[in-house]
C-alpha cells in the first residue's frame, strides 16, 4: 500500500526511484548525511559526484559501495530537496 502510494506520487525522474533512494540513503548514508545537506544540488550533479566517489576519484570519509541504480536513486532522492 505504501509502495503504491509512493509510486503514484512519484514521477520526478523516470529512470530513478526516489523511494528506493530514500531507503538506500537511510540505510547507508543517513548516519552521516541528511537529505537537506544537499539542498540546492540537482540530481544530475549529485549522481556524478557520488559516482566519482564510488569510483574512488573523489575522496570520501569511507568507501562507498553502490550499484549504478543505487547511485541514481539516492541522487534522485537527495536532489529533490528535503522530503
Ligand atoms: C561515516 C560517515 C559517512 C557515511 C556513512 C557517508 N558519508 Fe558521505 N561524507 C562524509 C563526510 C564527513 C563528508 C564531508 C567531508 C569530506 O569532504 O570528506 C562526506 C561527503 C560526501 C559527499 C560530498 C563530497 C564532495 O567532495 O563534495 C557526497 C556526495 C557524499 N558524502 C555521499 C555519500 C553517500 C551517497 C553516502 C551513502 C551511500 C555517504 N556519503 C555516506 C561522511 C559519510
Amino acid at each position: 500500500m505504501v509502495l503504491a502510494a509512493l509510486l503514484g506520487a512519484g514521477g520526478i525522474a523516470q529512470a530513478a526511484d526516489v523511494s528506493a533512494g530514500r531507503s538506500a540513503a537511510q540505510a547507508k548514508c543517513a548516519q552521516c548525511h541528511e537529505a537537506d545537506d544537499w539542498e540546492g544540488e540537482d540530481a544530475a550533479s549529485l549522481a556524478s559526484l557520488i559516482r566519482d566517489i564510488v569510483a574512488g576519484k573523489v575522496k570520501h570519509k569511507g568507501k562507498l559501495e553502490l550499484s549504478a541504480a543505487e547511485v541514481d536513486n539516492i541522487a534522485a532522492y537527495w536532489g529533490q530537496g528535503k522530503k
Side-chain angles (χ1 to χ4, degrees), residues 24-33 37-38 41 45-51 53-54 58-66 70-71 74-75 78:
Q26 277 167 356
K28 301 187 173 188
C29 320
Q31 62 190 105
C32 306
H33 296 293
D37 287 355
W38 315 102
E41 296 276 352
S45 54
L46 277 171
S48 80
L49 186 57
I50 298 169
R51 228 174 273 127
I53 294 174
V54 172
V58 169
K59 274 214 176 128
H60 186 257
K61 177 95 174 151
K63 190 169 162 38
L64 296 184
E65 294 195 18
L66 301 169
E70 283 178 309
V71 170
I74 292 171
W78 280 347

Side-chain angles (χ1 to χ4, degrees), residues 6-25:
L6 288 169
L7 288 173
I12 297 181
Q14 280 293 334
D17 182 338
V18 172
S19 59
R22 175 167 43 209
S23 320

